């Protein structure tokens, strides 16, 4: 049933990190359609970051859809710039901790 759950080792090698967690999402009830399902799946990912990877407010996680590609420059800016105003505003809007803010 969950054959893809056996691919954690492959994903660790692909991404070059031991910090890979694969969590199943199996709640496929009738109310779980469209954007509601996507919202529930994203919440499951965020929960996994907290529970399985023990991420803290200053850690960086990138969550996107398969059709959203990140440029190398964008990824480098995320890890090297102390502040990116557009992202800081988005974080403040959604109640997330912004980098450099206690």
């Amino acid at each position: 049933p969950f054959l893809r759950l056996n691919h954690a080792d492959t994903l660790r090698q692909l991404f070059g990190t031991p910090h890979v967690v694969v969590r199943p999402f199996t709640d496929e009830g009738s109310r779980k359609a469209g954007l509601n399902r996507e919202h529930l799946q994203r919440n499951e990912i965020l929960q996994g970051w907290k529970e399985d990877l023990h991420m803290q407010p200053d850690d960086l996680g990138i969550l996107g859809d398969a059709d959203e590609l990140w440029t190398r420059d964008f990824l480098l800016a995320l890890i090297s710039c102390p502040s990116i105003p557009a992202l800081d505003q988005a974080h403040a809007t959604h109640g997330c901790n912004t980098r450099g803010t206690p």
Side-chain angles (χ1 to χ4, degrees), residues 3 11 19 24 30 32 52 66 70 72 74-75 78 85 88 93:
L3 297 178
L11 294 171
H19 306 292
S30 61
K32 311 300 189 275
D52 300 327
W70 311 101
R72 182 177 184 271
F74 176 76
L75 296 173
L78 287 178
D88 290 342
T93 300

Side-chain angles (χ1 to χ4, degrees), residues 18 29 51 61 64:
E51 292 175 359

Side-chain angles (χ1 to χ4, degrees), residues 2-98:
F2 293 113
L3 297 178
R4 66 183 170 272
L5 295 180
N6 297 328
H7 295 298
D9 287 336
T10 302
L11 294 171
R12 287 183 188 100
Q13 289 178 332
L14 177 67
F15 293 110
T17 179
H19 306 292
V20 172
V21 176
V22 180
R23 293 170 60 113
F25 182 81
T26 58
D27 190 352
E28 296 292 332
S30 61
R31 293 183 39 223
K32 311 300 189 275
L35 292 178
N36 191 31
R37 177 182 295 131
E38 183 175 338
H39 179 72
L40 292 169
Q41 289 170 335
R42 285 178 182 255
N43 283 343
E44 183 67 28
I45 292 168
L46 297 175
Q47 196 65 30
W49 285 356
K50 293 175 189 173
E51 292 175 359
D52 300 327
L53 299 177
H54 309 289
M55 289 181 74
Q56 301 297 311
D58 287 337
D59 289 336
L60 177 65
I62 301 172
L63 179 61
D65 294 332
D67 63 344
E68 297 170 346
L69 303 176
W70 311 101
T71 66
R72 182 177 184 271
D73 290 339
F74 176 76
L75 296 173
L76 288 172
L78 287 178
I79 61 173
S80 60
C81 296
S83 179
I84 300 174
L87 293 179
D88 290 342
Q89 178 58 43
H91 287 220
T93 300
H94 297 290
C96 298
N97 186 33
T98 57

